[in-house]
Amino acid sequence: MCGIVGYVGPRQAVPILLNGLSKLEYRGYDSAGVVVLNGNQLEVAKCAGKLESLAAQLRQHRPPGNVGIGHTRWATHGRPTDVNAHPHTDEGGRFAVVHNGIIENYQHLREWLASQGHHFRSETDTEVLPHLVEHFYQGDLLSAVREAMGRLDGSYAWAVVSEAEPDKIVAGRKDSPLVIGLGQGENFLASDIPALLAHTRDTIILEDGELAVLTTDGVTVLDHSGQAKEKEILHVTWDADAAEKGGYPHFMIKEIHEQPKVLKDTLSGRIQEGGWVVLPEVKMEAAQMRAIQKVAVVACGTAFHAGLVGKYVIERLVRLPVEADIASEFRYRNPIVDETTLVVVISQSGETADTLAALREAKAKGARVVAVTNVVGSSVSREADDVIYTLAGPEIAVASTKAYVTQLAAMYLLATLLGQARGTIDQNQAQSITGALKVLPALAADVLAHESIIQDLANAVTKWEDAFFIGRGLDYAVALEGALKLKEISYIHAEAYAAGELKHGTLALITEGVPVIALATQPELYDKMVSNITEVKARGAVVTAITLPGGEEVAKASDQSFYLPEVYPLVAPILSVIPLQLLAYHAAVLRGADVDKPRNLAKSVTVE
């Protein structure tokens, strides 16, 4: 959440900053602002609300200048107001800062600075930063930023400009992402690569504790001790259109329709002849895999639902006990993990604060950590022992779709790799699983070809105030994701339950006309699901079933049904979630919701 952009070069800074901020809107925000060096004077423009409000303000007066930084804020300390919006300056207006993350010791710093004569205007933790820089400034901005950074506790990325040294931007990071874009006679700064693609494809990813000084002449990166260091230049090969809507009305529906391609990309090159799985980023040797005694899967939100599917699949194929934990709970229960535990952390951004904290807790206890993430160079990918990259490309909509299905694909690949190494699946089983994975892109396209059926159902959904999703086994994990999608973008109250739990309380909520989505893709559970559907039907529920060919009894027991194409049941979760994504999307559109940026939510949750 939150987004930083920066520019230093010969061009006017404001248009570049606004364009960069527009590419970071997907991260979630409630206010925006920029600061530009007009000669030797800082000019700040900021306001609560959408980026368009800031753009309108800047159309009235656009400060000239070739150096500037900008920010979109998602409120953590203080309400979303004009005063609390970034950038923040010191009392004299000589230093300006934009900041992502949280300064955990800000209250202590604020009190100390106040005792030194500093006065504050906002409710934010961020405002201590320009005051710290001002306090330590003795003619060298970099030294002042380094000194200030040494006083900070928390997770942050920040950028500083100053009237005292108007030709540069100084930036640093700890835990929150920051990327530098390299140009010809100009350089750029951003929280994420899409904000840079209109200007450059050559990037440097800052690591924890590093600082960078950007001028028109070049970029200097320093380590935590202040020593200059050489950094690898990452050339971005993404098509620039990948971060645009490409003709679709919303990013979310575009990303839903990209799922056949991203599944193919994620699986490509990882399944060899004979069904052998090869994951080059996983460095574990077979002996190390055989030594594992327990697996813990840790993630948040949609990624946690992918982890639940992974739990079922690893237990089925690898015959190891698997715990699935919400990352925000994992480290606070003093988890029982050690050097015989494999911890799998899943994070689309690779910067999710709770997941990153869980990763560090697991490593501190001696566990080996495998990360499943979509972002090369992210904190999670760097700190884990092994990485499985999901090749979903940039996902702009806040509600995850294509990143989720690639996370599922990664979990199936990992489970198969472990099963092969430990001898818990034979080669025929491995070929069945990998063969099923390889045809998933085509089957996903087949599901999307029947989108009109889901659109018809969505017309009824718009009238719902509550909805229930039920399933058993793998279908229960998918039901959780379906309910989350519906509530997070359409704002319809939705809950998911293991179908066997209905009679333990939930049936009290089933009344005449209540909608129930029943997932039934596991043939061994069809009979049980028919019984559960009959239970809710007897109490007046209107049931829509999602099933496979062969699930005719499930369909007969329901009011309406959607058939998935024939698929190996173990991998059905990758297909069965697609109609649920479409249902949520079309319901949200018909209800007039902001599909890509649902209220109160952010794409990348980089604070606890």
Side-chain angles (χ1 to χ4, degrees):
M1 52 184 83
C2 305
I4 289 173
V5 295
Y7 174 73
V8 53
R11 293 188 276 169
Q12 289 296 303
V14 166
I16 295 171
L17 297 177
L18 285 176
N19 178 262
L21 291 176
S22 74
K23 305 303 182 187
L24 299 177
E25 285 188 289
Y26 70 91
R27 295 172 69 86
Y29 71 104
D30 47 43
S31 60
V34 298
V35 59
V36 174
L37 279 150
N38 183 0
N40 289 349
Q41 182 177 356
L42 293 176
E43 289 201 41
V44 176
K46 59 181 184 174
C47 61
K50 295 295 186 183
L51 192 57
E52 176 52 36
S53 298
L54 176 65
Q57 186 182 130
L58 289 168
R59 284 194 289 269
Q60 297 296 317
H61 170 66
R62 190 180 85 181
N66 311 112
V67 178
I69 52 179
H71 190 264
T72 51
R73 173 181 186 253
W74 192 83
T76 55
H77 292 73
R79 296 164 297 130
T81 64
D82 292 355
V83 172
N84 287 335
H86 299 207
H88 288 283
T89 65
D90 66 302
E91 196 169 354
R94 297 174 59 224
F95 302 89
V97 168
V98 294
H99 157 241
N100 293 348
I102 285 180
I103 307 303
E104 293 178 353
N105 62 332
Y106 86 98
Q107 192 62 49
H108 168 76
L109 292 170
R110 189 174 177 126
E111 291 169 1
W112 175 72
L113 287 163
S115 74
Q116 303 296 307
H118 294 262
H119 296 87
F120 295 86
R121 293 180 287 264
S122 78
E123 304 168 276
T124 68
D125 57 336
T126 299
E127 196 182 356
V128 302
L129 299 177
H131 286 271
L132 278 174
V133 174
E134 189 273 336
H135 185 83
F136 291 119
Y137 186 74
Q138 295 184 359
D140 181 14
L141 183 60
L142 174 61
S143 295
V145 171
R146 279 192 64 222
E147 191 72 28
M149 204 160 157
R151 301 296 197 279
L152 304 180
D153 294 332
S155 59
Y156 49 82
W158 60 314
V160 186
V161 291
S162 172
E163 292 178 352
E165 300 179 36
D167 61 339
K168 67 184 62 169
I169 300 170
V170 178
R173 66 153 286 181
K174 177 180 177 291
D175 297 332
S176 293
L178 210 51
V179 184
I180 294 167
L182 305 176
Q184 298 294 320
E186 58 183 1
N187 291 293
F188 308 84
L189 185 71
S191 297
D192 205 354
I193 288 171
L196 306 174
L197 289 183
H199 310 290
T200 182
R201 291 180 174 277
D202 291 329
T203 64
I204 292 172
I205 297 173
L206 289 188
E207 296 181 36
D208 279 356
E210 291 182 343
L211 295 109
V213 180
L214 287 73
T215 67
T216 56
D217 296 328
V219 174
T220 302
V221 177
L222 302 99
D223 63 20
H224 67 279
S225 65
Q227 298 298 308
K229 62 184 297 187
E230 292 293 322
K231 293 285 290 184
E232 179 184 359
I233 296 174
L234 174 67
H235 183 75
V236 179
T237 57
W238 294 350
D239 183 345
D241 291 339
E244 301 296 336
K245 292 179 184 174
Y248 288 93
H250 301 95
F251 282 112
M252 184 177 178
I253 190 63
K254 173 179 178 283
E255 289 158 6
I256 289 172
H257 279 268
E258 288 175 342
Q259 289 178 126
K261 178 184 182 300
V262 300
L263 281 169
K264 183 177 181 180
D265 291 344
T266 298
L267 296 168
S268 180
R270 289 168 163 172
I271 299 173
Q272 292 188 336
E273 194 70 31
W276 289 100
V277 170
V278 177
L279 298 174
E281 306 96 340
V282 175
K283 306 301 183 185
M284 268 189 297
E285 297 178 356
Q288 293 172 304
M289 295 184 197
R290 289 192 290 271
I292 297 167
Q293 294 182 15
K294 184 176 76 171
V295 178
V297 183
V298 182
C300 300
T302 285
F304 174 68
H305 297 156
L308 277 179
V309 173
K311 166 186 165 65
Y312 284 105
V313 175
I314 293 171
E315 286 185 339
R316 183 90 58 91
L317 300 184
V318 191
R319 305 309 299 156
L320 279 171
V322 182
E323 298 175 357
D325 260 298
I326 296 169
S328 58
E329 297 295 321
F330 179 75
R331 66 183 175 130
Y332 296 113
R333 67 175 180 84
N334 193 16
I336 302 171
V337 298
D338 57 24
E339 64 279 357
T340 67
T341 307
L342 178 68
V343 174
V344 183
V345 299
I346 310 174
S347 169
Q348 180 269 328
S349 67
E351 303 292 346
T352 309
D354 288 315
T355 306
L356 192 54
L359 181 157
R360 290 167 179 164
E361 176 77 3
K363 291 197 72 173
K365 290 178 177 290
R368 189 178 186 102
V369 177
V370 174
V372 175
T373 185
N374 195 43
V375 181
V376 177
S378 61
S379 297
V380 161
S381 71
R382 292 197 313 276
E383 295 190 30
D385 299 291
D386 308 284
V387 184
I388 305 173
Y389 288 113
T390 57
L391 304 181
E395 186 177 67
I396 307 302
V398 167
S400 181
T401 53
K402 64 176 183 174
Y404 172 73
V405 297
T406 58
Q407 288 166 353
L408 291 180
M411 293 303 290
Y412 281 94
L413 289 170
L414 176 61
T416 307
L417 177 70
L418 292 172
Q420 289 174 320
R422 293 173 63 90
T424 53
I425 56 174
D426 62 27
Q427 207 51 35
N428 287 334
Q429 290 173 299
Q431 285 180 310
S432 296
I433 297 161
T434 56
L437 290 173
K438 286 194 288 187
V439 299
L440 280 173
L443 297 181
D446 184 83
V447 174
L448 290 166
H450 294 86
E451 183 176 355
S452 60
I453 299 172
I454 302 299
Q455 283 179 286
D456 291 341
L457 177 60
N459 288 316
V461 173
T462 59
K463 304 177 181 67
W464 297 354
E465 293 303 324
D466 301 279
F468 295 93
F469 291 69
I470 60 173
R472 287 173 176 263
L474 285 166
D475 289 325
Y476 169 54
V478 179
L480 287 165
E481 176 61 12
L484 176 61
K485 282 291 155 287
L486 187 63
K487 61 183 145 189
E488 72 181 332
I489 64 167
S490 75
Y491 314 142
I492 294 169
H493 172 247
E495 300 293 342
Y497 294 94
E501 281 289 287
L502 286 170
K503 58 177 65 70
H504 295 282
T506 311
L507 278 176
L509 299 175
I510 304 298
T511 57
E512 193 69 33
V514 167
V516 174
I517 307 293
L519 289 110
T521 66
Q522 305 302 301
E524 71 275 15
L525 295 171
Y526 283 164
D527 289 345
K528 297 295 184 184
M529 282 302 299
V530 169
S531 296
N532 297 137
I533 291 167
T534 303
E535 285 176 337
V536 295
K537 285 278 289 175
R539 288 154 180 83
V542 178
V543 179
T544 300
I546 296 174
T547 190
L548 296 176
E552 284 75 19
E553 292 303 314
V554 171
K556 287 177 186 176
S558 306
D559 294 283
Q560 52 199 343
S561 57
F562 182 92
Y563 280 97
L564 299 169
E566 188 73 54
V567 66
Y568 187 52
L570 185 65
V571 303
I574 297 178
L575 293 186
S576 59
V577 74
I578 298 174
L580 303 183
Q581 295 168 344
L582 291 169
L583 179 66
Y585 170 78
H586 288 294
V589 170
L590 290 168
R591 288 167 67 95
D594 189 344
V595 174
D596 288 333
K597 295 188 285 291
R599 66 191 181 206
N600 301 330
L601 300 179
K603 183 65 174 173
S604 180
V605 184
T606 56
V607 297
E608 290 188 71

